Amino acid sequence: MHSNTAAGPASAPQELVTPHDHDDSLVAIVRKAAWRIMPLIMICYLFAFFDRINISFAKFQLQGDLGLSDTAYGLGASLFVVGYVLFEVPSNMFLYKVGARRWIARIMISWGLATAAMVFVSSEWQFYALRFVIGAMEAGFAPGVLYYLTLWFPSSYRGRITSMLFLASAFAGLIGAPVSGMILGHMEGAFGIRGWHWLFMLGGLPCIGLGLVVLWQLKDKIEDAGWLTQREQQILAANVARPTSHERGHSLLSAIKTPGFLMLGLVYFLIQVGSYGLNFWAPHLIRTAGTQNPTIIGLLTAVPYICGAAAMIIVGRLSDARGERRRFVIGLMVLATIGFFAAGVFEKQTVLLIVALGIMGAGVVAAIPAFWALPPKLVTGAGAAAGIALINTLGQLGGIVSPVMVGRIKDLTGSTTPALYAIGGMTLLCALLLTFAMPASLREKE
């Protein structure tokens, strides 16, 4: 069995086993590792998130071609998450056994092929089936990457590192939304291919190449990093391996039994209800407010992700500096609640709706990386690999609830406003749980 751990070097001199977290040499080593690892990881994550945005822009053409109701569209969008959820934990169990590099590469290649295959969809049932397959192929990617980062970066740097990772999701909206709009607006009918087919083809094929780059470029362990000197490897490995007083859970079962673990799964579920509400329905909200041009819709859809990117950077730095994770997530979810309720109030007023979406994006988009600094405080080792996957699985159930709920409410009432209020209520509940229902280990500063 290939052990995918970042164990500290047993033969290292004693002074390297317990280095100071803020030693200048460690800062330089972490920066070196970040520049080597994070650009590729961020590009991969950008395409993962771009895949989720594509379906929202394809909505209008796809519904017209396949004759889908809003409920049917929401169901198809949710089936992606069903496949993701069913295969999430098994995927990360395999990742821990075969090594993150190989498994992440496999995920990239297989989901790229499945996404590009959307060009062959010609019926409602084919749409349902392939969305499920895409989700199954992508299962394990996000928690796998998060677990991989715990092998390379000390806990005192993970707020910033995780924010860098999820900054890619903001860039997927910032760059992907306008590009998606332009593809639909300018490539419709090119070479006899529909615009929404182009959207999935250009989103899927690059993932195959990225998977091959991951296989070649990333390393499974610090000791394998030839771009670090032996002393740098020792310092970094010793810091990564240092346990906190509350870390426990070296198996999935022990992780589940850890106080607060399942509550984190519920919290992430509520965060993802808000996230999917934004991702799948923002273009629709902008369109129904009066904007019809696909390119302009794409540009306006980028606004919440711009706000989210700014909030990510600020919160990542502040949470690392203060060693306080939970309170920042609480504040961000309150901000998201304000955004959802404001979007419902100003549903027909484009300028105020965009402001509301910006507030919503700052809260929801930035809350995700801020949240992911919490689970490693509870679980380590195999418990971290499978445990992070389980929390992500529980969270992704929000991706089943949110699109179907919004679509059904819109079909029944003719308006998305009641659904926006419902999601706002769930993000508020999330803030309350973080405030009053977390164990002492997650309330303490690092």
Side-chain angles (χ1 to χ4, degrees), residues 54-86:
N54 276 350
I55 190 68
S56 66
F57 279 92
K59 177 178 183 291
F60 306 113
Q61 288 189 6
L62 188 150
Q63 281 185 285
D65 286 359
L66 303 184
L68 303 178
S69 66
D70 281 317
T71 301
Y73 163 77
L75 176 60
S78 295
L79 282 170
F80 165 89
V81 185
V82 173
Y84 197 102
V85 164
L86 289 177

Side-chain angles (χ1 to χ4, degrees), residues 120-254:
F120 301 110
V121 169
S122 60
S123 70
E124 180 176 340
W125 287 103
Q126 288 176 352
F127 171 57
Y128 291 155
L130 193 51
R131 288 300 295 174
F132 176 86
V133 170
I134 293 171
M137 294 299 99
E138 189 181 328
F141 175 75
V145 168
L146 287 165
Y147 171 69
Y148 182 74
L149 296 182
T150 68
L151 304 179
W152 283 88
F153 298 100
S155 61
S156 57
Y157 290 85
R158 285 178 195 157
R160 281 163 285 182
I161 293 297
T162 307
S163 291
M164 287 178 63
L165 170 65
F166 284 96
L167 195 61
S169 67
F171 276 113
L174 176 61
I175 300 170
V179 169
S180 295
M182 286 188 286
I183 290 173
L184 288 174
H186 299 287
M187 295 196 68
E188 168 62 27
F191 300 101
I193 300 173
R194 292 282 280 147
W196 67 276
H197 285 170
W198 278 113
L199 206 55
F200 287 109
M201 192 159 46
L202 295 177
L205 293 180
C207 296
I208 301 170
L210 283 170
L212 296 174
V213 174
V214 165
L215 198 59
W216 169 69
Q217 182 72 19
L218 295 185
K219 303 297 181 184
D220 283 314
K221 297 184 294 184
I222 293 172
E223 292 88 340
D224 295 334
W227 40 270
L228 291 174
T229 67
Q230 184 177 7
R231 179 178 174 81
E232 288 172 337
Q233 291 175 359
Q234 292 170 341
I235 293 173
L236 183 59
N239 275 275
V240 168
R242 290 175 67 188
T244 67
S245 59
H246 294 288
E247 282 181 340
R248 69 182 102 175
H250 296 282
S251 69
L252 178 58
L253 181 59
S254 61

